[in-house]
Amino acid sequence: MMNLLYKSTRNAERTVTASQAVLKGLAEDGGLFVPEYIPKLDVSMDELKDMSYQETAYAVMKQFLTDYTEEELKSCIEKAYDSKFDTEVIAPLVKVGDTYHLELFHGATIAFKDMALSILPHLLTTAAKKNGVTNEIVILTATSGDTGKAALAGFADVPGTKIIVFYPKGGVSRVQELQMVTQKGENTSVVAIHGNFDNAQSGVKALFEDRELERELNEKGYQFSSANSINIGRLVPQVVYYVYAYAKLLQNEEIADGEKINVTVPTGNFGNILAAYYAKQMGVPIAKLICASNENKVLFDFFQTGVYDKNREFILTSSPSMDILISSNLERLIYTIAGQDAQKDAELMRQLNTEGRYEITPQMREKLSDFVGGYATEEETKEEIRTTYERTGYVMDTHTAVAAYVCAKYRKDTGDKTKCLVASTASPYKFARSVMTAIDEKYAAEDEMELIDELHKVSGTEIPRAIEEIRNAQIRHTRECDAEAMKDEVKEILGV
Ligand SMILES: *Cc1c(COP(=O)(O)O)cnc(C)c1O
């Protein structure tokens, strides 16, 4: 088979292999790596129906990561999807009322980023070996909460790597913060930024683009890589669970052969929903991709008007992992709908950088017909959690509730009866305060840790290991800095 090669969204000239794209994270020109085309599945749904999560992962990932050998890829998959997950099925499907929740929160940090971040370290260290890299790899990550902990957990004590995570001080939940600052591992560092997620993310991007810093690091035997959702090694593992979910719906006879489903995804950086779009292009019968936002509804407005405009107030919501004004992965979609025109993409991204906005052409807008945008206010999100609990006894987290609300509203507004899958991205235990006060205001005054016990009683679900762990853990990370001082912080940590 010919190798599937990857290009930058901002440069049509150079191609790299999959393992090189995984290793680099971000292209040198600031663009994102994209495959030259989206490969088709080469196994039938009939075969996929009976496959385990790990087998499905291999069937999907081998199509994208063609320069990894079968042995390498299977070894990465086995190391990733093991007893770190609290269920053998890895990503269970749960029917809640008339929708299907794909629970992506059964990994080490009880949020969906574990799905990709438990495999990325293995894909990355394999890529380093394959490409003769002898430098130590430094993972640099900006997080709005969940990526940080999932990346720390994935990379902790992985030989040949170091990881530095930046998060917005005050912009993540108490549980999220505790999860990060208690992280063990000699190679882990955590820094709180005085600013919001976009400041942290822009800061990390600037460090990646800093050629002088790159030289200095190289002299000391270090090189950067990214664990953010811009890394293709994050995106590809996320395609897997959409293929898996469809096959399981088929196996459970919830849908007929070839029946199309809609997929609703609570969206921030646009990685998860882009993976669903790739799954569709691989051949999974998906009709609409419903992009659900919270009150930071940049994407809703974009799908509505064709204008992406981040010049607006940044709102802190109860779904902090979606509090994002620059959805980095959208660039991959922009590139695709521009007809894989790197020059056009680069021009729009330049406008985003300088003016904070851009407008796509009418021809590009036509290619967005697979997508529907929606959003939920804080009030609507709470309402969704409460009414779903009252109707079904199922307790969902705030991010998932945004999607569930948008999914239900879409159905009501359009009359579209297509069955719908909701990506359920976090355990309610991770956002216990918001979830419990949505169910009943009387919980507002209680301590977050006590609310975990209340949630356990109310939902009848087990308290996850990840929560038990932080209850008594010691705080190990106390670094803080201004967004402008991130470079100095990195140099200090690495002793450069
Ligand atoms: C990261 C995250 C999201 C958003 O996913 P993107 O891929 O960034 O769009 C939604 N929900 C939770 C719980 C998350 O951690």
Side-chain angles (χ1 to χ4, degrees), residues 91-96 98-104 239-249 254-255 260-266 272-273 276 279 284-291 400 403-404 406-408 411 418-424:
L93 261 178
V94 181
K95 193 166 181 182
V96 180
D98 56 2
T99 50
Y100 301 91
H101 281 227
L102 176 61
E103 293 188 349
L104 303 172
V239 180
V240 173
Y241 47 75
Y242 290 108
V243 177
Y244 182 71
Y246 188 88
K248 292 304 155 202
L249 284 173
E254 296 288 348
I255 54 172
K260 287 194 173 173
I261 59 166
N262 289 337
V263 175
T264 310
V265 184
N272 201 0
I273 194 165
V284 179
I286 293 172
K288 292 291 180 196
L289 297 147
I290 304 170
C291 175
T400 308
V406 166
C407 176
R411 281 182 153 170
T418 307
K419 287 176 185 144
C420 194
L421 183 78
V422 167
S424 178

Side-chain angles (χ1 to χ4, degrees), residues 105 110-114 143-147 176 197 229 234-235 238 241 265-275 291-292 299 319-324 327-329 397-400 423-427 430-431:
F105 56 76
I110 57 175
F112 101 96
K113 297 195 175 59
D114 290 327
T143 185
S144 55
D146 289 334
T147 302
Q176 287 177 318
F197 171 68
S229 63
R234 282 277 301 277
L235 202 53
Q238 292 179 357
Y241 47 75
V265 184
T267 297
N269 233 340
F270 210 75
N272 201 0
I273 194 165
L274 188 71
C291 175
L299 287 166
S319 44
S321 301
M322 297 158 67
D323 289 346
I324 285 172
S327 299
S328 317
N329 262 300
D397 101 287
T398 44
H399 303 76
T400 308
S424 178
T425 51
S427 161
K430 200 155 189 176
F431 301 95

